[in-house]
Amino acid sequence: YHPDSELRDTWVWFQSGINTDGAHNPVTTRKLKRGDILSLNTFPMISGYYTALERTLFVGDVHGCYMELKGLLEMANFKPDSERLFFVGDLITRGPKPLEVLKLAHQLGASCVLGNHERSFLQHLKKGSQSSDSFSKLKEEMGDHMPFWEEWL
């Protein structure tokens, strides 16, 4: 309880972790695995405390729009060495540069949750199912590196 603080001096802090209660998590580069439990705790924070915390950005529905993603990350002043980035699905299809989006996400060490477009693409790779032209084009662009990207997704 902080009776002298104003609403403009507060915000919500999101704290999360893998297979924990979210508190006191060691920093990890471990990728999420099927069956992992993600926690998300929220706390109201008083101005000034946030400066000691790490920022986490969540981005969804990029849909292969590489230039727009670059612009968004620049506008957010994203710092990959000290901040975390999570993509919450649909990195590929529709936009002109889905492979560049995947490369950037990988380069930045981002964590990704599969969206329906990634799932459909992986199904296309495994079963050779009917797909859109964008899936065929992406598969062709991946070339010999396709097994890497299939595993990374």
Side-chain angles (χ1 to χ4, degrees), residues 8-102:
R8 64 187 167 95
D9 293 331
T10 64
W11 55 87
V12 175
W13 170 34
F14 290 89
Q15 176 184 13
S16 64
I18 301 171
N19 296 327
T20 71
D21 65 356
H24 310 99
N25 295 330
V27 175
T28 180
T29 59
R30 184 173 85 68
K31 299 212 184 262
L32 295 175
K33 298 177 188 172
R34 186 178 301 260
D36 280 345
I37 298 170
L38 294 178
S39 65
L40 181 62
N41 303 308
T42 60
F43 305 93
M45 301 302 292
I46 301 303
S47 181
Y49 182 71
Y50 180 77
T51 57
L53 302 175
E54 174 183 83
R55 188 170 68 146
T56 301
L57 281 74
F58 293 86
V59 178
D61 295 299
V62 177
H63 289 290
C65 295
Y66 173 77
M67 294 306 295
E68 291 83 353
L69 175 60
K70 290 278 289 181
L72 176 71
L73 294 174
E74 287 174 18
M75 195 168 59
N77 197 25
F78 176 65
K79 296 176 178 62
D81 293 335
S82 61
E83 299 174 334
R84 295 184 296 180
L85 177 62
F86 284 83
F87 288 101
V88 292
D90 296 344
L91 286 169
I92 61 173
T93 70
R94 296 187 186 164
K97 298 185 176 186
L99 183 57
E100 285 82 357
V101 167
L102 293 176

Side-chain angles (χ1 to χ4, degrees), residues 92-93 117 120-121 124 131-139:
I92 61 173
T93 70
H117 292 278
S120 295
F121 179 68
H124 167 73
S131 68
S132 66
D133 290 339
S134 63
F135 283 174
S136 298
K137 182 181 175 195
L138 179 56
K139 181 178 176 181

